[in-house]
Amino acid sequence: MANSYLFPLFLSLIVISSVSANFQRDVEITWGDGRGQITNNGELLTLSLDKSSGSGFQSKNEYLFGKIDMQMKLVPGNSAGTVTTLYLKSPGTTWDEIDFEFLGNLSGDPYTLHTNVYTQGKGDKEQQFKLWFDPTADFHTYTILWNPQRIIFTVDGTPIREFKNMESIGTLFPKNRPMRMYSSLWNADDWATRDIIWSNGKSSCPDVSKQGTTGSWLSQELDSTAQERMRWVQRNYMIYNYCTDAKRFPQGLPKECLAA
């Protein structure tokens, strides 16, 4: 690995399953040559990065819409060059994807939380944040809620981003392709649960609601309190927003930015 001298010999990401999840039942380690492990009767999953490579896993099922809560404790110390990911992705060359990515920085500098949405292989919807706590000191809950109307990114119950379905004005929105859930810990020096199970055209999911939102999650939206909390995060902790990057879009900002 380039600049491998910056890394400790061994870095580790620890993930705890939710009450209803079981890693042995729901996911499979897909790469890492032993660096990814499931223990504690399926309740604990560890992804590790050493000087050889990282590791990752994916869900055994595909999902069309869902709500995924993941409790994670990120790599402490000098994490420069590491990327820790939680994302949903469909197969193919014109894929859909919903990204939560944690970009490591030099010791003493906070992680960058990177979010993005792809539809039919087209992205360019990045928003980035600094966190208001140390994500390496303890476990925190990172949530992706995806329903036909919106995608909501949440940290410890606080919404940080809402990506609405604006197909009416020509903005692509991922709503037709089932996706798998993925998570990985890897070296990127070169550029740096509840859900619906899709099976044979049918789906199954409990009807649940969450504080700070209205309606079951399949039609969930942010109430006024959650909207204000999200605006607080964006005012104080957002460090990049594609909707304000006029230099990136010389022909004009995307339509959804103008309609927001």
Side-chain angles (χ1 to χ4, degrees):
M1 295 190 302
N3 297 330
S4 60
Y5 62 87
L6 290 175
F7 294 95
L9 179 62
F10 188 80
L11 299 176
S12 182
L13 164 72
I14 302 173
V15 185
I16 299 178
S17 70
S18 67
V19 174
S20 61
N22 182 294
F23 285 123
Q24 291 176 336
R25 180 192 65 216
D26 298 330
V27 309
E28 56 186 347
I29 305 294
T30 52
W31 66 283
D33 195 23
R35 284 175 290 271
Q37 297 185 2
I38 298 173
T39 57
N40 288 16
N41 295 317
E43 295 180 354
L44 189 70
L45 186 149
T46 303
L47 297 181
S48 302
L49 169 69
D50 60 20
K51 290 188 177 182
S52 297
S53 186
S55 49
F57 70 87
Q58 70 178 39
S59 63
K60 293 181 180 179
N61 294 307
E62 291 183 323
Y63 309 100
L64 185 61
F65 308 124
K67 182 180 180 186
I68 297 174
D69 295 301
M70 187 79 77
Q71 290 184 290
M72 293 192 292
K73 183 178 181 180
L74 297 181
V75 173
N78 187 350
S79 58
T82 65
V83 176
T84 305
T85 64
L86 168 64
Y87 64 101
L88 297 166
K89 188 175 185 293
S90 67
T93 56
T94 55
W95 71 98
D96 292 349
E97 184 173 342
I98 304 169
D99 289 342
F100 245 144
E101 296 181 332
F102 303 86
L103 311 182
N105 290 305
L106 294 173
S107 297
D109 292 336
Y111 271 83
T112 296
L113 176 53
H114 176 96
T115 67
N116 203 350
V117 177
Y118 289 82
T119 311
Q120 299 177 26
K122 296 179 173 61
D124 299 332
K125 312 291 184 186
E126 301 97 331
Q127 289 184 357
Q128 294 183 341
F129 304 82
K130 300 295 184 186
L131 293 168
W132 52 95
F133 54 85
D134 180 1
T136 72
D138 205 349
F139 289 94
H140 293 270
T141 302
Y142 304 92
T143 301
I144 296 174
L145 183 146
W146 169 40
N147 65 33
Q149 295 82 34
R150 56 187 45 83
I151 298 164
I152 301 173
F153 298 85
T154 306
V155 178
D156 286 341
T158 296
I160 64 171
R161 178 179 184 180
E162 180 182 28
F163 185 83
K164 294 181 179 180
N165 184 340
M166 294 188 179
E167 290 178 310
S168 60
I169 62 171
T171 298
L172 296 174
F173 185 85
K175 65 181 182 65
N176 297 315
R177 294 178 172 87
M179 307 192 212
R180 292 187 189 274
M181 181 191 72
Y182 297 85
S183 183
S184 60
L185 172 61
W186 53 287
N187 171 42
D189 276 344
D190 56 340
W191 66 272
T193 223
R194 289 183 293 258
D195 40 47
I196 293 180
I197 300 178
W198 185 262
S199 176
N200 299 321
K202 298 180 180 180
S203 62
S204 175
C205 181
D207 184 17
V208 296
S209 60
K210 190 172 182 68
Q211 184 178 3
T213 59
T214 58
S216 72
W217 69 259
L218 191 56
S219 59
Q220 190 169 305
E221 60 187 32
L222 299 178
D223 63 18
S224 58
T225 300
Q227 289 279 0
E228 180 53 39
R229 187 67 174 169
M230 182 174 67
R231 286 191 289 269
W232 171 80
V233 172
Q234 294 180 351
R235 284 194 306 266
N236 293 282
Y237 297 99
M238 181 182 285
I239 58 175
Y240 178 79
N241 182 4
Y242 77 105
C243 279
T244 61
D245 192 348
K247 293 182 179 178
R248 184 175 174 183
F249 302 100
Q251 304 304 316
L253 292 173
K255 293 179 180 179
E256 70 269 16
C257 297
L258 302 176

